């Protein structure tokens, strides 16, 4: 199979969909790998490394899209990229369709067979292709939150770890999953006073055990969150409903209860954000202010640490990529129900129920696709 890896063109996206190591594995499996020149530059992988791995380096994205049967990317295709997709071609990438009707429409019109990283599942109920980037974003969130708290950036001037004689800052993390646990690990390490909210008592018990009392856990209710907002210096939104739009958990009215210069970091912004006042930002212009509260809503946070993120993502996606290439998409998703869960569009039909619900579109199931 011809596997194509174009350069990412979303603003400040420095990751790449295929590492040289992954390219080498695909070549060893008998596949032809086509990489756009400069695709790996942002992550520190030069064209020479792809050539050494046995890949071909092509001059522009159009050549990659024209020749490849399977396109592997990181972020959702941008409008110019969507115009190059074709009927029957396979797209394997993060898509986040629920808050993006324009992309959904274009993918349906193209006839592409799209498989979303973020909805591929595993036998333990996890999301194995989302988890590594969730881990990265979670660990980054206290770092960027502490930066946004600096007075020069519009924040309140609070040092999360405090100093002797001065209390540490208060960090509230909404959601105790992969993102929340990773955020808690870094925030606790900074010396902050950390509270994690979640609706799973077993998850709260797990976090309490692994952190050995170094953070506070609280069952998530609207009342509990309302009580925690006024003293909070940093609130991290780390909620996820797989494939669906994120719930709005903090309203604009509630910003008035928070201290001026406090910070909201919305890690759920790829799925529309979990704060009413969230809107996607970029690494170039990452923050904005609403009612005196600083918002950090970068939609591709892991892109800031592109080399680490690319390697982590490549480790997770490689087995699925090889399955798609070795078997073809139909047999691959037929053999693997977890990969099948990632099927989002198929030749003009929507195959994700959560996306259909979010956008008011009819959807069929992946099983119906396999049934013909």
């Amino acid at each position: 199979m011809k596997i194509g890896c174009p350069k990412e063109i979303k603003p400040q996206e420095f990751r790449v969909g295929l590492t040289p190591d992954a390219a080498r594995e695909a070549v060893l499996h008998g596949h032809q790998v086509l990489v756009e020149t400069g695709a790996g530059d942002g992550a520190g992988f030069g064209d020479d490394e792809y050539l050494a791995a046995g890949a071909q380096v092509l001059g522009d994205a159009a050549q990659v899209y024209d020749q490849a049967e399977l396109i592997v990317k990181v972020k959702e295709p941008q409008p110019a990229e969507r115009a190059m997709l074709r009927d029957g071609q396979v797209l394997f990438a993060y898509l986040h369709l629920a808050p993006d009707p324009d992309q959904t429409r274009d993918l349906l019109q193209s006839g592409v067979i799209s498989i979303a990283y973020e909805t591929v599942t595993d036998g333990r109920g996890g999301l194995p292709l989302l988890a590594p980037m969730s881990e990265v974003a979670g660990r980054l969130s206290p770092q960027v939150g502490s930066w946004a708290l600096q007075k020069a950036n519009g924040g309140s001037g609070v040092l999360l770890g405090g100093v002797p004689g001065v209390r540490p800052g208060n960090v509230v993390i909404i959601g105790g999953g992969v993102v929340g646990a990773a955020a808690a690990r870094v925030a606790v390490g900074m010396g902050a006073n950390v509270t994690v909210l979640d609706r799973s008592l077993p998850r709260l018990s797990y976090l309490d055990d692994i952190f050995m009392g170094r953070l506070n856990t609280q069952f998530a209710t609207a009342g509990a969150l309302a009580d925690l907002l006024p003293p909070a210096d940093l609130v991290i939104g780390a909620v996820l409903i797989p494939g669906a739009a994120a719930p709005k958990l903090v309203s604009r009215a509630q910003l008035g209860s928070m201290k001026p210069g406090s910070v909201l970091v919305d890690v759920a912004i790829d799925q529309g954000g979990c704060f009413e006042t969230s809107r996607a930002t970029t690494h170039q212009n990452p923050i904005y202010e609403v009612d005196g509260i600083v918002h950090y809503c970068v939609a591709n946070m892991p892109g800031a640490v592109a080399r680490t993120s690319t390697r982590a993502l490549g480790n997770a996606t490689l087995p699925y990529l090889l399955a798609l290439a070795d078997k073809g998409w139909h047999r691959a998703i037929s053999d693997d129900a977890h990969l099948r869960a990632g099927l989002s569009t198929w030749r003009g039909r929507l195959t994700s129920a959560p996306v259909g619900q979010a956008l008011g579109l009819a959807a069929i199931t992946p099983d119906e696709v396999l049934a013909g």
Side-chain angles (χ1 to χ4, degrees):
M1 181 176 285
K2 293 182 179 180
I3 303 170
C5 178
K7 185 173 183 176
E8 299 292 323
I9 63 171
K10 187 167 185 173
Q12 289 81 54
E13 179 52 71
F14 304 109
R15 291 172 289 179
V16 62
L18 204 64
T19 65
D21 283 345
R24 180 176 287 105
E25 290 292 326
V27 170
L28 289 173
H29 277 241
H31 304 295
Q32 188 176 353
V33 178
L34 312 170
V35 180
E36 182 182 355
T37 183
D41 287 352
F45 303 119
D47 288 351
D48 58 334
E49 294 181 73
Y50 289 102
L51 290 169
Q56 298 178 45
V57 175
L58 302 182
D60 57 37
Q63 295 179 62
V64 175
Y65 281 93
D66 180 60
Q67 297 182 40
E69 300 162 272
L70 167 61
I71 296 290
V72 56
K73 282 178 47 56
V74 179
K75 292 304 291 180
E76 69 280 358
Q78 301 302 292
E81 296 174 303
R82 300 198 293 264
M84 292 187 281
L85 294 169
R86 65 178 184 273
D87 183 65
Q89 195 172 41
V90 180
L91 170 66
F92 194 36
Y94 287 118
L95 298 178
H96 301 292
L97 294 177
D100 195 343
D102 291 341
Q103 184 196 176
T104 304
R105 180 201 63 229
D106 289 349
L107 294 186
L108 292 173
Q109 289 180 350
S110 73
V112 73
I113 299 161
S114 65
I115 299 172
Y117 290 162
E118 71 272 14
T119 56
V120 173
T121 58
D122 64 23
R124 298 171 296 174
L127 301 169
L129 305 190
L130 187 62
M133 296 303 94
S134 296
E135 182 83 26
V136 171
R139 293 187 182 211
L140 278 174
S141 58
Q143 294 181 210
V144 298
S146 64
W147 172 82
L149 275 168
Q150 294 176 31
K151 196 68 178 177
N153 299 320
S156 61
V158 168
L159 180 65
L160 286 181
V163 292
V166 180
R167 292 176 61 85
N170 296 315
V171 177
V172 176
I173 301 172
I174 310 173
V178 175
V179 172
R185 184 176 295 112
V186 172
V188 167
M190 287 178 162
N193 178 40
V194 181
T195 300
V196 177
L197 292 161
D198 200 279
R199 290 197 168 183
S200 168
L201 289 175
R203 186 63 180 179
L204 293 176
S205 177
Y206 166 78
L207 292 172
D208 189 63
D209 286 344
I210 64 169
F211 283 97
M212 302 178 67
R214 291 180 295 158
L215 56 70
N216 309 300
T217 59
Q218 192 159 345
F219 188 77
T221 64
L225 179 57
D227 289 340
L228 289 167
L229 289 176
D233 297 294
L234 170 61
V235 179
I236 296 171
V239 296
L240 173 70
I241 301 175
K248 305 300 183 186
L249 300 178
V250 176
S251 68
R252 179 164 188 170
Q254 287 179 299
L255 300 187
S257 71
M258 299 180 67
K259 298 179 292 187
S262 298
V263 173
L264 301 179
V265 175
D266 198 339
V267 186
I269 192 63
D270 274 338
Q271 293 295 121
C274 60
F275 308 131
E276 184 184 2
T277 45
S278 291
R279 56 177 173 81
T281 60
T282 67
H283 292 292
Q284 189 173 17
N285 295 293
I287 58 177
Y288 61 93
E289 185 180 309
V290 177
D291 298 341
I293 306 302
V294 180
H295 293 57
Y296 181 102
C297 303
V298 174
N300 58 332
M301 288 177 64
V305 286
R307 192 166 179 86
T308 295
S309 296
T310 294
R311 288 191 180 278
L313 181 60
N315 292 341
T317 59
L318 181 59
Y320 300 94
L321 174 66
L322 292 177
L324 288 168
D326 290 348
K327 300 178 179 181
W329 72 270
H330 192 278
R331 183 181 162 200
I333 70 168
S334 178
D335 289 351
D336 187 346
H338 300 299
L339 180 59
R340 187 158 68 244
L343 187 66
S344 296
T345 66
W346 170 76
R347 293 190 162 174
R349 302 293 298 274
L350 184 66
T351 56
S352 170
V355 173
Q357 184 176 11
L359 300 180
L361 298 174
I364 61 174
T365 67
D367 287 338
E368 290 177 280
V369 172
L370 291 178

